[in-house]
Amino acid sequence: MIHIDSPYGIKYASNFQPRIECRDVKDKDEDLTRGPEQIKAYRNTWKLGLHSYLTYLRDRLLLARELLTESGSIFVQINDENLRLVRCLPNELFGSENFVALVAFAKTTGFGGELLDTITDDLLCYAKDKNSIKSGQPFTSRVLGHEGAENYDFIALPDGTRRRLSHAEKRDPASLPNEANVFASARITSRGQTAEGSMPITHHGRVFDGPGGLHWKITVDGMLGLSCAENSCSR
């Protein structure tokens, strides 16, 4: 996996001071008093503006693609100012069919704007081959009653009994019976009706019609699979 924290913009100036006695760095050639290798390391110097900027990124993305294994992936960090431009590069080099996700994440502080503050940056995620990509789901341990587990109000006992947790059990999870599983309840439908997602489902010999104006959150086959898992049956 490769992560590229690329320069966000194409502006010429920066707050790098090549000389300590120079307190005012402007977009002027006379401010560039060091060798080209130092300028390249510290300044966003795009001689041809946008074209230089995109060429700079394209060369690095091309090399990154060659370094990745077939199961590899790449994350390109960028802000919204040039997201639409930069996204064209991995679309070209990796193929739009290998686009995985656009991940927005909150920054520590907002960047003040004239109208609204910008509080997020973005990660463009692409696979070298989406059919071969390796990925792992991130899991976080949850503690009953704390963040992420506030609505875990039910318990499943080893004998198959399900009931609501008592107040004492929620305050002291150590008092829960051995081998008991705590769980939360949720609706199994979402807004919007679809031809396949709103089909009737048979459960325990009872037919449940598709919800009007809604659809099941998982496929019909998935619902039947849950029914089988509940009864430890084979399909």
Side-chain angles (χ1 to χ4, degrees), residues 27 35-36 64 81 94 114 158 161 168 171 201 214:
D27 296 351
E81 181 181 2
F94 291 85
E114 182 178 351
T161 303
R171 287 194 301 269
I201 291 175
L214 304 173

Side-chain angles (χ1 to χ4, degrees), residues 51-225:
H51 303 287
S52 295
Y53 173 68
L54 294 178
T55 300
Y56 163 91
L57 290 180
R58 187 183 186 279
D59 291 343
R60 284 149 182 80
L61 290 173
L62 182 62
L63 175 60
R65 187 190 67 183
E66 299 306 312
L67 291 172
L68 285 172
T69 63
E70 292 303 308
S71 60
S73 56
I74 185 169
F75 292 82
V76 181
Q77 186 170 325
I78 196 69
N79 66 357
D80 63 336
E81 181 181 2
N82 288 308
L83 173 62
R84 67 190 188 283
L85 300 173
V86 171
R87 186 168 181 173
C88 295
L89 299 178
N91 272 345
E92 173 193 344
L93 298 175
F94 291 85
S96 57
E97 68 278 6
N98 289 315
F99 170 72
V100 176
L102 174 63
V103 182
F105 62 94
K107 298 183 290 188
T108 54
T109 57
F111 181 78
E114 182 178 351
L115 298 175
L116 295 174
D117 287 351
T118 300
I119 62 172
T120 62
D121 284 340
D122 299 287
L123 285 173
L124 279 167
C125 179
Y126 282 77
K128 186 170 184 179
D129 180 0
K130 197 171 181 179
N131 295 322
S132 304
I133 189 174
K134 288 185 177 179
S135 64
Q137 291 293 331
F139 292 99
T140 302
S141 297
R142 295 178 177 177
V143 179
L144 186 62
H146 290 70
E147 183 178 1
E150 299 93 340
N151 297 322
Y152 280 64
D153 296 327
F154 300 89
I155 185 172
L157 301 175
D159 63 1
T161 303
R162 295 181 178 88
R163 62 173 174 81
R164 185 178 290 273
L165 286 168
S166 68
H167 292 295
E169 288 171 332
K170 291 198 71 171
R171 287 194 301 269
D172 181 17
S175 65
L176 294 173
N178 293 331
E179 300 182 5
N181 293 312
V182 178
F183 66 95
S185 64
R187 295 180 61 88
I188 59 173
T189 57
S190 291
R191 291 183 179 180
Q193 189 168 351
T194 64
E196 184 177 347
S198 304
M199 294 176 59
I201 291 175
T202 302
H203 180 63
H204 290 310
R206 181 179 173 186
V207 178
F208 293 85
D209 293 328
L214 304 173
H215 66 274
W216 307 113
K217 285 186 176 179
I218 59 176
T219 64
V220 173
D221 285 342
M223 294 284 283
L224 295 176

Side-chain angles (χ1 to χ4, degrees), residues 160 162 203-204 223-233:
R162 295 181 178 88
H203 180 63
H204 290 310
M223 294 284 283
L224 295 176
L226 289 174
S227 178
C228 285
E230 178 187 13
N231 296 283
S232 300
C233 66

